[in-house]
Amino acid sequence: MSHGYRILVVEDNELNLKLVRDVLTYAGYDVIEARTGEQGVALATERLPDLVLMDLQLPGIDGAEALRQMRSSPSTQTVPVVAVTAYAMKEDRERAFSCGFDGYLEKPISARELPAQVHRFLKGDSDG
Ligand code: MN
């Protein structure tokens, strides 16, 4: 059962990608995926997702640069982008917001909590 929300997951780690894809697909989201920042920006432009979950550490351009490119393009400027990071430090959370991310999701991702977190991000709550 799909409720029509398309989520772009930008993640280079196959296990994390599989977890997020499986959980969100099961929860009824339409999941599209990219493994590099460049692919992520291209796919965001092409498919205009309702939300992007952006890993920060990626091969090639990192998540912050991918966000910058999305924000500088009229077609993807307003797409909400949530930073996904292994960093648990308060400073890293603040850095994510200062880069202009709309929210912050901490690894490890909780399969149990993720659908509700994504639902809250879609509603515009920055804490997931
Ligand atoms: Mn990574």
Side-chain angles (χ1 to χ4, degrees), residues 11-13 16 55-59 107:
E11 172 62 79
D12 62 313
N13 180 288
N16 288 335
D55 183 27
L56 288 186
Q57 305 208 350
L58 293 163
K107 288 181 187 177

Side-chain angles (χ1 to χ4, degrees), residues 19 50 86:
L19 170 74
D50 297 293

Side-chain angles (χ1 to χ4, degrees), residues 7-11 17 20-21 24 31-35 53:
I7 314 292
L8 169 60
V9 182
V10 187
E11 172 62 79
L17 181 58
V20 173
R21 178 207 301 132
L24 293 185
V31 179
I32 55 177
E33 55 195 56
R35 288 169 176 76
L53 300 181

